[in-house]
């Protein structure tokens, strides 16, 4: 099968906008998730360039709460065992060395820093953050993937992993692909339901933020999330 290399894929892109140049000049934080994966994958296959392959891989990662198995990676057209092992090793090393443990949530911008990279997705992602009693991050997960303008989530899906993490508190966040940060009726409803459930479970609901690529909006800061005992 003919492979198309990285430099062939980005031949028509201005040099300073190519992922490797951005990485070299501005550091890894300047790249989107898709661009980071494109650099890692290096080559595409006939009929699918490395950018498209990165998008497929990103969808798989967003759907999984943990690192997919080599078999799952290898099911993607263009991801052979060699690429699958490379990606899995990179993800595991990153988790061990630079995981979000010890990051403490003190204000909404701390949540935004951990979820902002999901902002470029074309569908809404509803994300949960499990926290310990000191509000240090235990885990960050995509709970559900919704439509272009809405995500459907049930409290049981949100709390399943939070309880398993033995968390004492939690935050949630979701992106608005439109870039508009106004909360919808559905956003308001799920926030109320999560607060009610958290009260029963004895968990502190720290905040719910709506975010885009450039900004965020906090339910708590806007007086829309009030603890029952206050």
């Amino acid at each position: 099968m003919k492979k198309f290399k990285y430099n062939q894929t980005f031949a028509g892109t201005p040099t300073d906008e190519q992922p490797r140049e951005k990485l070299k000049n501005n550091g890894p934080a300047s790249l989107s998730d898709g661009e980071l994966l494109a650099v890692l994958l290096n080559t595409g296959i006939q009929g699918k360039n490395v950018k498209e392959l990165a998008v497929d891989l990103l969808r798989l990662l967003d759907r999984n709460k943990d690192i997919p198995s080599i078999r799952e990676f290898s099911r993607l057209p263009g991801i052979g065992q060699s690429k699958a092992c490379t990606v899995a090793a990179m993800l595991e090393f990153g988790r061990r060395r630079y995981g979000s443990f010890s990051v403490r949530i003190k204000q909404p911008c701390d949540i935004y820093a951990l979820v902002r990279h999901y902002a470029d997705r074309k569908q809404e992602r509803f994300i949960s953050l499990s926290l310990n009693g000191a509000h240090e991050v235990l885990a960050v997960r995509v709970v559900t993937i919704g439509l272009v303008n809405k995500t459907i989530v049930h409290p049981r899906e949100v709390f399943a992993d939070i309880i398993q993490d033995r968390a004492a508190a939690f935050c949630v966040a979701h992106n608005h692909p439109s870039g508009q940060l106004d909360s919808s009726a559905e956003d308001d409803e799920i926030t109320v339901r999560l607060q009610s459930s958290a009260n029963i479970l004895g968990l502190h609901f720290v905040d719910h933020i709506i975010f885009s690529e450039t900004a965020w909006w906090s339910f708590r800061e806007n007086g829309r999330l009030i603890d029952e005992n206050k």
Side-chain angles (χ1 to χ4, degrees), residues 14-67:
T15 302
D16 60 353
E17 293 180 17
Q18 294 179 15
R20 283 182 186 166
E21 288 300 313
K22 289 171 64 176
L23 179 62
K24 182 175 67 176
N25 296 330
N26 306 311
S30 66
L31 275 64
S32 68
D33 289 356
E35 289 172 328
L36 288 169
L37 289 174
V39 172
L40 183 70
L41 292 171
N42 190 46
T43 59
I45 59 173
Q46 188 168 1
K48 184 167 291 189
N49 65 39
V50 70
K51 287 192 293 186
E52 295 168 328
L53 203 56
V55 169
D56 290 346
L57 182 55
L58 200 54
R59 289 197 188 104
L60 174 64
L61 293 173
D62 280 357
R63 290 196 304 268
N64 281 264
K65 295 179 180 178
D66 207 338
I67 298 173

Side-chain angles (χ1 to χ4, degrees), residues 108 111 125-127 151 153 170-176 183 186-192 194 205-211 216-222 224-225:
I111 305 170
R125 263 64 172 169
F126 197 93
I127 303 155
T151 183
V153 64
F170 71 100
C171 313
V172 296
H174 74 279
N175 64 308
H176 275 183
S183 67
E186 290 85 358
D187 297 336
D188 296 340
E189 180 186 1
I190 188 59
T191 303
V192 170
L194 289 174
F205 188 2
V206 175
D207 207 345
H208 178 185
I209 71 165
I210 300 170
F211 65 97
W216 49 264
W217 186 90
S218 159
F219 273 81
R220 184 170 291 279
E221 280 200 344
N222 285 276
R224 305 276 291 281
L225 184 59

Side-chain angles (χ1 to χ4, degrees), residues 1-2 12 28 38 63 75 92 121 127-128 133 142 155-156 165 176 181-182 195 219 224:
M1 182 179 292
K2 185 177 180 180
R63 290 196 304 268
R75 289 196 187 110
E92 180 58 29
R121 307 304 199 266
I127 303 155
S128 71
V142 174
R156 64 171 171 264
D165 292 334
H176 275 183
L181 298 180
D182 298 331
Q195 179 66 84
F219 273 81
R224 305 276 291 281

